[in-house]
Amino acid sequence: MLKFSPLIAASAMTIAAFTGSAFAASHEGAAAPATNRIDTQRHDAPELSAYGDHKVGVRTLEMTNPDQIDILAIDPAAEKPAEWPRYDRPLTVEVWYPADAAAEGSQELKAYLRDGKTEVTLVGQAMRDAAPLAASEAFPLVIISHGYPGNRFLLSHLAENLASKGYVVASIDHTDSTYRTKAAFGSTLVNRSIDQKFVLGEIARLAGEDGNFLNGLANADNAAIIGYSMGGYGAIISAGGGVTQGAVDYGWGGPHGTLGVHLSGSDSHNALPDPRVKTIVAFGPWGKVLNFWDEETLKGIEKPALFVAGSVDDVSGYEKGVRAIWQGATGVDRALLTFDNANHNAGAPMPAPTEADKVDEELGFNLSEHYNDAVWDTVRMNNISQHFVTAWLDQHLKGDESKAAYLDLVPNSNDGVWAKEDDGTSKPEHTHWHGFQNRTAKGLRYEVLKSGE
């Protein structure tokens, strides 16, 4: 039940046809090798996936959350300790941010593959240690939380895209949960939402320090959490969805009931949701098929939520998994974007680096399977995710009601009708998804439920 890879069969499609010309003329000066690009925009990308007006910088921060429960030091087979062993928990965080118009720097990122051994170079638009933009107002903060295992670069395509549009994006390497630090699953279960809240607080602290590059740049009082798989699990807990007693009692979970810190209705969990977080986006959130939430605990979710899923997700589940979470979060307005016939990788992971096309004997599968989907092209899904997440966050963090049109859609994209006059104005019968080019809104569903429904 905890075997997360291989997730799916390797994609039969390739993004080679789309590399090398990733951007329009506004980005001509940012040429880079056309390998392992995370910034590709397909010719059929929906409107809001396009990069924004800002140049992008990226920096690495090292953080330490003091005096945390050391899950790995607890022996689940021994008696429950009288006191929990504790340690100072290290976290590496990659921060993407709007950069000065004259900024320069390397556009390469160094990241490890799923095997935790192979280091590769990713190429995007973000410039290493670039000077931040001096803005009149600080930008909203977005926290990104990867899957198990994963790393802070898994959603880098989305992170730098959002930064170009006026967001500061902090992506966490969750200790014990990365490709190189993967350890007992209980640590991931307990620490995910704790890490998310701690990083929120640290960004807020750094943004108040004179001389720090985040000072005047990041507004942690206006924040969102984006999580994929186990990151989505953590985002739901952070949003108020406390876990069930059954989840706390799992023998393979948090040892000796340590997951009780997130038990629905407990004092510790009641104190977890942070008013600075205004909304969440959860890609394929894990947990519902194993009853980590039920009808009552899902009612605790108190942040508007966008859920993204593949209709054949065999890791988190769809009908009894992500869709059931969306249906059960009756206390908030929420939406569900479904990629029909996509599996667990729907919309979240970056394109598989070239070096991932190899079978790892220890893992027993081709590393590309960790990133690819058997049906959908990864870049196509990334562009669609960039489009919808932009519309969602612009509404919820920036109050931009012009984005409402991109989220007011016929539920099944295949039912949309393209009907426009020669001058481009829509006829009354036009119901094609807003922002999608003619004949490109296919294989998708976007469904909305309001609070109380």
Side-chain angles (χ1 to χ4, degrees), residues 352-388:
T354 302
E355 298 90 338
D357 189 12
K358 64 179 180 181
V359 175
D360 182 272
E361 292 187 3
E362 183 177 345
L363 293 174
F365 59 89
N366 188 296
L367 299 179
S368 294
E369 298 176 27
H370 179 70
Y371 308 90
N372 292 337
D373 184 79
V375 174
W376 283 79
D377 170 55
T378 301
V379 176
R380 173 67 172 155
M381 289 196 292
N382 289 167
N383 292 165
I384 292 169
S385 295
Q386 290 161 347
H387 172 86
F388 277 98

Short mmCIF file of all heavy atoms in Angstrom, two decimals, residues 352-388:
data_model
loop_
_atom_site.label_atom_id
_atom_site.label_comp_id
_atom_site.label_asym_id
_atom_site.label_seq_id
_atom_site.Cartn_x
_atom_site.Cartn_y
_atom_site.Cartn_z
N ALA A 352 10.23 14.57 -17.53
CA ALA A 352 11.33 13.67 -17.15
C ALA A 352 12.63 14.14 -17.78
O ALA A 352 12.71 14.30 -19.00
CB ALA A 352 11.01 12.25 -17.60
N PRO A 353 13.66 14.38 -17.00
CA PRO A 353 14.96 14.72 -17.58
C PRO A 353 15.45 13.61 -18.50
O PRO A 353 15.12 12.43 -18.30
CB PRO A 353 15.87 14.87 -16.36
CG PRO A 353 14.94 15.24 -15.24
CD PRO A 353 13.68 14.46 -15.52
N THR A 354 16.23 13.96 -19.50
CA THR A 354 16.74 12.99 -20.46
C THR A 354 17.44 11.84 -19.76
O THR A 354 17.28 10.66 -20.14
CB THR A 354 17.71 13.68 -21.43
OG1 THR A 354 17.03 14.75 -22.10
CG2 THR A 354 18.25 12.71 -22.46
N GLU A 355 18.19 12.14 -18.72
CA GLU A 355 18.96 11.13 -18.02
C GLU A 355 18.10 10.13 -17.25
O GLU A 355 18.59 9.10 -16.78
CB GLU A 355 19.94 11.79 -17.04
CG GLU A 355 20.98 12.67 -17.70
CD GLU A 355 20.52 14.12 -17.83
OE1 GLU A 355 19.29 14.37 -17.81
OE2 GLU A 355 21.40 14.99 -17.95
N ALA A 356 16.80 10.44 -17.11
CA ALA A 356 15.90 9.54 -16.37
C ALA A 356 15.49 8.33 -17.18
O ALA A 356 14.91 7.38 -16.63
CB ALA A 356 14.66 10.30 -15.90
N ASP A 357 15.77 8.33 -18.47
CA ASP A 357 15.36 7.22 -19.34
C ASP A 357 16.31 6.04 -19.18
O ASP A 357 17.10 5.73 -20.07
CB ASP A 357 15.30 7.68 -20.79
CG ASP A 357 14.67 6.62 -21.70
OD1 ASP A 357 14.09 5.65 -21.16
OD2 ASP A 357 14.76 6.77 -22.93
N LYS A 358 16.26 5.43 -18.02
CA LYS A 358 17.09 4.26 -17.74
C LYS A 358 16.44 3.47 -16.62
O LYS A 358 15.75 4.01 -15.75
CB LYS A 358 18.51 4.67 -17.34
CG LYS A 358 18.58 5.48 -16.05
CD LYS A 358 20.02 5.83 -15.68
CE LYS A 358 20.09 6.64 -14.39
NZ LYS A 358 21.48 7.02 -14.04
N VAL A 359 16.66 2.16 -16.66
CA VAL A 359 16.13 1.30 -15.60
C VAL A 359 17.12 1.27 -14.44
O VAL A 359 18.31 1.01 -14.63
CB VAL A 359 15.88 -0.12 -16.12
CG1 VAL A 359 15.46 -1.04 -14.97
CG2 VAL A 359 14.82 -0.11 -17.21
N ASP A 360 16.64 1.57 -13.26
CA ASP A 360 17.46 1.47 -12.07
C ASP A 360 17.25 0.07 -11.48
O ASP A 360 16.13 -0.30 -11.11
CB ASP A 360 17.06 2.54 -11.05
CG ASP A 360 17.92 2.50 -9.80
OD1 ASP A 360 17.55 1.76 -8.87
OD2 ASP A 360 18.96 3.19 -9.76
N GLU A 361 18.32 -0.69 -11.40
CA GLU A 361 18.19 -2.08 -10.96
C GLU A 361 17.71 -2.19 -9.51
O GLU A 361 16.95 -3.09 -9.17
CB GLU A 361 19.53 -2.80 -11.13
CG GLU A 361 19.92 -2.98 -12.60
CD GLU A 361 21.15 -3.85 -12.76
OE1 GLU A 361 21.67 -4.36 -11.73
OE2 GLU A 361 21.61 -4.01 -13.91
N GLU A 362 18.13 -1.26 -8.69
CA GLU A 362 17.71 -1.31 -7.29
C GLU A 362 16.22 -1.01 -7.14
O GLU A 362 15.51 -1.68 -6.38
CB GLU A 362 18.53 -0.31 -6.47
CG GLU A 362 18.23 -0.34 -4.99
CD GLU A 362 19.11 0.61 -4.20
OE1 GLU A 362 20.13 1.08 -4.74
OE2 GLU A 362 18.76 0.91 -3.04
N LEU A 363 15.73 -0.01 -7.88
CA LEU A 363 14.31 0.34 -7.81
C LEU A 363 13.46 -0.60 -8.65
O LEU A 363 12.29 -0.83 -8.35
CB LEU A 363 14.11 1.78 -8.27
CG LEU A 363 14.71 2.86 -7.37
CD1 LEU A 363 14.57 4.23 -8.03
CD2 LEU A 363 14.05 2.87 -6.00
N GLY A 364 14.02 -1.09 -9.77
CA GLY A 364 13.31 -2.05 -10.59
C GLY A 364 12.40 -1.46 -11.64
O GLY A 364 11.50 -2.15 -12.14
N PHE A 365 12.61 -0.19 -11.99
CA PHE A 365 11.79 0.41 -13.05
C PHE A 365 12.56 1.53 -13.73
O PHE A 365 13.59 2.01 -13.22
CB PHE A 365 10.45 0.93 -12.52
CG PHE A 365 10.58 1.98 -11.43
CD1 PHE A 365 10.66 3.33 -11.74
CD2 PHE A 365 10.59 1.61 -10.10
CE1 PHE A 365 10.76 4.30 -10.75
CE2 PHE A 365 10.70 2.56 -9.08
CZ PHE A 365 10.79 3.91 -9.42
N ASN A 366 12.06 1.94 -14.90
CA ASN A 366 12.65 3.06 -15.63
C ASN A 366 12.33 4.34 -14.87
O ASN A 366 11.17 4.62 -14.56
CB ASN A 366 12.09 3.11 -17.05
CG ASN A 366 12.81 4.13 -17.91
OD1 ASN A 366 12.75 5.33 -17.64
ND2 ASN A 366 13.46 3.66 -18.97
N LEU A 367 13.34 5.14 -14.58
CA LEU A 367 13.13 6.33 -13.76
C LEU A 367 12.16 7.32 -14.39
O LEU A 367 11.53 8.11 -13.68
CB LEU A 367 14.48 7.03 -13.51
CG LEU A 367 15.53 6.21 -12.75
CD1 LEU A 367 16.82 7.00 -12.61
CD2 LEU A 367 15.01 5.78 -11.38
N SER A 368 12.01 7.30 -15.71
CA SER A 368 11.08 8.22 -16.37
C SER A 368 9.65 8.00 -15.91
O SER A 368 8.82 8.93 -15.97
CB SER A 368 11.15 8.04 -17.90
OG SER A 368 12.40 8.43 -18.40
N GLU A 369 9.35 6.78 -15.44
CA GLU A 369 7.99 6.49 -15.01
C GLU A 369 7.57 7.34 -13.81
O GLU A 369 6.37 7.54 -13.57
CB GLU A 369 7.87 5.01 -14.63
CG GLU A 369 8.15 4.07 -15.79
CD GLU A 369 8.13 2.61 -15.37
OE1 GLU A 369 7.44 2.30 -14.38
OE2 GLU A 369 8.79 1.80 -16.02
N HIS A 370 8.54 7.82 -13.07
CA HIS A 370 8.25 8.66 -11.91
C HIS A 370 7.68 10.01 -12.32
O HIS A 370 7.00 10.68 -11.54
CB HIS A 370 9.52 8.85 -11.09
CG HIS A 370 9.37 9.71 -9.88
ND1 HIS A 370 8.66 9.32 -8.77
CD2 HIS A 370 9.84 10.97 -9.60
CE1 HIS A 370 8.71 10.28 -7.86
NE2 HIS A 370 9.41 11.29 -8.33
N TYR A 371 7.95 10.44 -13.55
CA TYR A 371 7.56 11.76 -14.02
C TYR A 371 6.46 11.72 -15.08
O TYR A 371 5.63 12.62 -15.15
CB TYR A 371 8.78 12.48 -14.63
CG TYR A 371 9.99 12.51 -13.74
CD1 TYR A 371 10.95 11.50 -13.79
CD2 TYR A 371 10.19 13.55 -12.83
CE1 TYR A 371 12.07 11.52 -12.97
CE2 TYR A 371 11.31 13.58 -12.01
CZ TYR A 371 12.24 12.55 -12.08
OH TYR A 371 13.34 12.58 -11.26
N ASN A 372 6.45 10.69 -15.92
CA ASN A 372 5.59 10.65 -17.09
C ASN A 372 4.20 10.09 -16.81
O ASN A 372 3.96 9.50 -15.77
CB ASN A 372 6.24 9.80 -18.19
CG ASN A 372 7.48 10.44 -18.77
OD1 ASN A 372 7.66 11.65 -18.70
ND2 ASN A 372 8.34 9.63 -19.36
N ASP A 373 3.33 10.26 -17.79
CA ASP A 373 2.01 9.66 -17.77
C ASP A 373 1.88 8.80 -19.02
O ASP A 373 2.46 9.09 -20.06
CB ASP A 373 0.92 10.73 -17.76
CG ASP A 373 -0.47 10.15 -17.63
OD1 ASP A 373 -0.86 9.78 -16.51
OD2 ASP A 373 -1.17 10.04 -18.67
N ALA A 374 1.09 7.74 -18.94
CA ALA A 374 0.94 6.82 -20.06
C ALA A 374 0.12 7.41 -21.20
O ALA A 374 0.21 6.95 -22.34
CB ALA A 374 0.31 5.52 -19.59
N VAL A 375 -0.69 8.43 -20.91
CA VAL A 375 -1.60 8.98 -21.91
C VAL A 375 -1.27 10.43 -22.24
O VAL A 375 -1.17 10.81 -23.41
CB VAL A 375 -3.06 8.86 -21.42
CG1 VAL A 375 -4.03 9.57 -22.37
CG2 VAL A 375 -3.43 7.39 -21.27
N TRP A 376 -1.10 11.24 -21.23
CA TRP A 376 -0.93 12.68 -21.42
C TRP A 376 0.54 13.07 -21.54
O TRP A 376 1.40 12.53 -20.84
CB TRP A 376 -1.53 13.43 -20.23
CG TRP A 376 -3.02 13.52 -20.23
CD1 TRP A 376 -3.90 12.56 -19.85
CD2 TRP A 376 -3.81 14.65 -20.60
NE1 TRP A 376 -5.18 13.01 -19.95
CE2 TRP A 376 -5.16 14.30 -20.41
CE3 TRP A 376 -3.50 15.93 -21.06
CZ2 TRP A 376 -6.20 15.17 -20.68
CZ3 TRP A 376 -4.54 16.81 -21.32
CH2 TRP A 376 -5.87 16.43 -21.14
N ASP A 377 0.82 14.04 -22.42
CA ASP A 377 2.13 14.65 -22.50
C ASP A 377 2.36 15.51 -21.27
O ASP A 377 1.50 16.32 -20.89
CB ASP A 377 2.22 15.49 -23.78
CG ASP A 377 3.47 16.34 -23.83
OD1 ASP A 377 4.56 15.78 -23.69
OD2 ASP A 377 3.34 17.57 -24.00
N THR A 378 3.51 15.36 -20.64
CA THR A 378 3.79 16.08 -19.39
C THR A 378 3.75 17.59 -19.59
O THR A 378 3.19 18.32 -18.75
CB THR A 378 5.15 15.67 -18.82
OG1 THR A 378 5.14 14.26 -18.58
CG2 THR A 378 5.43 16.39 -17.51
N VAL A 379 4.36 18.10 -20.66
CA VAL A 379 4.38 19.54 -20.87
C VAL A 379 2.96 20.07 -21.07
O VAL A 379 2.61 21.15 -20.56
CB VAL A 379 5.27 19.91 -22.08
CG1 VAL A 379 5.20 21.41 -22.35
CG2 VAL A 379 6.71 19.50 -21.82
N ARG A 380 2.14 19.32 -21.77
CA ARG A 380 0.74 19.72 -21.95
C ARG A 380 0.05 19.85 -20.59
O ARG A 380 -0.64 20.84 -20.31
CB ARG A 380 0.02 18.69 -22.82
CG ARG A 380 -1.49 18.88 -22.96
CD ARG A 380 -1.85 20.11 -23.72
NE ARG A 380 -3.29 20.17 -24.00
CZ ARG A 380 -3.96 21.30 -24.23
NH1 ARG A 380 -3.33 22.47 -24.19
NH2 ARG A 380 -5.24 21.28 -24.48
N MET A 381 0.24 18.86 -19.72
CA MET A 381 -0.37 18.93 -18.39
C MET A 381 0.21 20.08 -17.58
O MET A 381 -0.53 20.77 -16.87
CB MET A 381 -0.17 17.60 -17.66
CG MET A 381 -0.98 16.46 -18.23
SD MET A 381 -1.09 15.04 -17.11
CE MET A 381 0.60 14.47 -17.12
N ASN A 382 1.52 20.29 -17.66
CA ASN A 382 2.13 21.40 -16.93
C ASN A 382 1.53 22.73 -17.35
O ASN A 382 1.22 23.60 -16.51
CB ASN A 382 3.64 21.43 -17.16
CG ASN A 382 4.39 20.31 -16.49
OD1 ASN A 382 5.55 20.07 -16.78
ND2 ASN A 382 3.75 19.58 -15.59
N ASN A 383 1.36 22.93 -18.66
CA ASN A 383 0.78 24.18 -19.15
C ASN A 383 -0.64 24.38 -18.66
O ASN A 383 -1.03 25.49 -18.26
CB ASN A 383 0.80 24.22 -20.68
CG ASN A 383 2.17 24.32 -21.31
OD1 ASN A 383 2.34 24.07 -22.49
ND2 ASN A 383 3.18 24.66 -20.52
N ILE A 384 -1.43 23.31 -18.65
CA ILE A 384 -2.80 23.40 -18.16
C ILE A 384 -2.81 23.73 -16.67
O ILE A 384 -3.60 24.56 -16.20
CB ILE A 384 -3.57 22.10 -18.47
CG1 ILE A 384 -3.78 21.97 -19.98
CG2 ILE A 384 -4.91 22.07 -17.73
CD1 ILE A 384 -4.29 20.61 -20.41
N SER A 385 -1.92 23.11 -15.91
CA SER A 385 -1.83 23.40 -14.48
C SER A 385 -1.43 24.85 -14.24
O SER A 385 -1.99 25.53 -13.36
CB SER A 385 -0.82 22.46 -13.81
OG SER A 385 -1.27 21.13 -13.85
N GLN A 386 -0.44 25.35 -14.99
CA GLN A 386 -0.03 26.74 -14.86
C GLN A 386 -1.21 27.68 -15.12
O GLN A 386 -1.39 28.68 -14.41
CB GLN A 386 1.11 27.03 -15.85
CG GLN A 386 2.42 26.34 -15.50
CD GLN A 386 3.37 26.24 -16.67
OE1 GLN A 386 3.00 26.45 -17.83
NE2 GLN A 386 4.62 25.90 -16.39
N HIS A 387 -2.01 27.35 -16.10
CA HIS A 387 -3.18 28.15 -16.45
C HIS A 387 -4.18 28.20 -15.29
O HIS A 387 -4.59 29.29 -14.85
CB HIS A 387 -3.82 27.56 -17.71
CG HIS A 387 -5.13 28.16 -18.10
ND1 HIS A 387 -5.23 29.29 -18.89
CD2 HIS A 387 -6.42 27.79 -17.81
CE1 HIS A 387 -6.50 29.59 -19.08
NE2 HIS A 387 -7.25 28.70 -18.43
N PHE A 388 -4.57 27.04 -14.79
CA PHE A 388 -5.61 26.99 -13.76
C PHE A 388 -5.10 27.51 -12.41
O PHE A 388 -5.83 28.21 -11.70
CB PHE A 388 -6.18 25.58 -13.63
CG PHE A 388 -7.25 25.28 -14.63
CD1 PHE A 388 -6.97 24.59 -15.79
CD2 PHE A 388 -8.55 25.71 -14.43
CE1 PHE A 388 -7.95 24.32 -16.73
CE2 PHE A 388 -9.55 25.46 -15.35
CZ PHE A 388 -9.25 24.76 -16.51
#
